[in-house]
Amino acid sequence: MVNTAALKQIDERIIQWLDQVRTMLPAMIKEMDLQTKANRFDLVTNVDKSIEQSFEEMLTKEFPEHQLYGEEAHHDTDRLREGYTWVLDPIDGTANLVKQQDDFCLILGLFYNGEPVLSYIDEFPRQKRFKAIKGEGVYLNDERLSPPPERPLKDCLISFNNKGLNDETMHDLLDASFGYRLIGACGLDSAKVFTGQFGVHIHTNAKPWDIGAQFLFADMLGLKMTNFQQGPIDFIKGGPFIISNKGCYEEMLEILLQKGGYQKA
Ligand code: IPD
Ligand code: CA
Ligand code: CA
């Protein structure tokens, strides 16, 4: 296992890099150039690509033995369970970046022999940085975060992407909860669960980089993070994903599944 002192050293360098990205971002957004991937809603920009490239360059120089698994250009999965592996979504919420210049973030998680040890979700536009160091603590900027109080579903705001959910199930979920909100960036919807602002976030088909940081936050904040059968999620594969306050997890999944609500998209 990696010791905390080694993780803190890595963390120092990552924070420098994140600060650098934060400083450069306004100029990068001014020069933003938009492209589509699989369809007209699947967006990527030169901002996404250059952040991933910058991270790769930093790793090559400072941590040459670390591997990178990144959304834009690093999809090789051969040896990701060996040693250090970073999972990176350079911009999560690209549609929000393009349409609103708000509500997007970077998601970054470090795994050692397949176990999560360092995690970051950086909401650049609002200067909010969530960070978790295994064995040390969870932070929002300089403030230490504690596990949120347990809450029943009827008292929780809930958040889910609706792909693959039938109308009846969505209505049942809305009726059973306090209300619905969706930011539209998996990292930020998840971070609202870290702080207790949301009770739960569901993504019916999360990619590994949408959730690469959430494993460690969930573990250290006493949250549930599983697939819809309450089983573990493979950090290399992703898939159906729920991150939830313990007080509403069982009921949420029961309603989600009871009327065949979730059909694989
Ligand atoms: C997207 C966001 C969004 C989710 C999509 C993801 P991207 O990530 O997390 O909330 O609903 O499925 O693809 O493409 O902006 O990195
Ligand atoms: Ca994403
Ligand atoms: Ca992305």
Side-chain angles (χ1 to χ4, degrees), residues 61-107:
K61 206 162 131 221
E62 316 249 347
F63 305 105
E65 77 285 11
H66 290 200
Q67 307 179 76
L68 175 56
Y69 188 37
E71 177 174 14
E72 302 309 334
H74 299 89
H75 292 183
D76 187 356
T77 55
D78 277 0
R79 296 174 38 248
L80 298 182
R81 284 179 225 282
E82 296 165 29
Y84 287 105
T85 294
W86 292 94
V87 182
L88 172 67
D89 189 341
I91 296 284
D92 179 54
T94 300
N96 287 345
L97 166 65
V98 171
K99 297 290 180 191
Q100 320 185 69
Q101 294 81 58
D102 197 1
D103 288 335
F104 60 90
C105 63
L106 171 147
I107 304 176

Side-chain angles (χ1 to χ4, degrees), residues 17 52 55 59 66-72 74-77 80-81 84-90 106-112 114-116 118-121 207-215 234-238:
W17 179 77
E52 185 162 320
F55 188 73
L59 278 193
H66 290 200
Q67 307 179 76
L68 175 56
Y69 188 37
E71 177 174 14
E72 302 309 334
H74 299 89
H75 292 183
D76 187 356
T77 55
L80 298 182
R81 284 179 225 282
Y84 287 105
T85 294
W86 292 94
V87 182
L88 172 67
D89 189 341
L106 171 147
I107 304 176
L108 180 62
L110 177 63
F111 293 76
Y112 182 73
E115 293 297 321
L118 270 182
S119 277
Y120 307 84
I121 292 182
K207 299 286 178 299
W209 23 85
D210 294 324
I211 55 172
Q214 285 88 320
F215 292 90
D234 184 335
F235 85 100
I236 299 175
K237 296 191 180 134

Side-chain angles (χ1 to χ4, degrees), residues 28-35 44-48 98:
M28 291 166 91
I29 291 176
K30 271 197 189 139
E31 303 287 309
M32 189 158 70
D33 174 33
L34 181 62
Q35 290 153 28
V44 66
T45 74
N46 53 336
V47 178
D48 309 48
V98 171

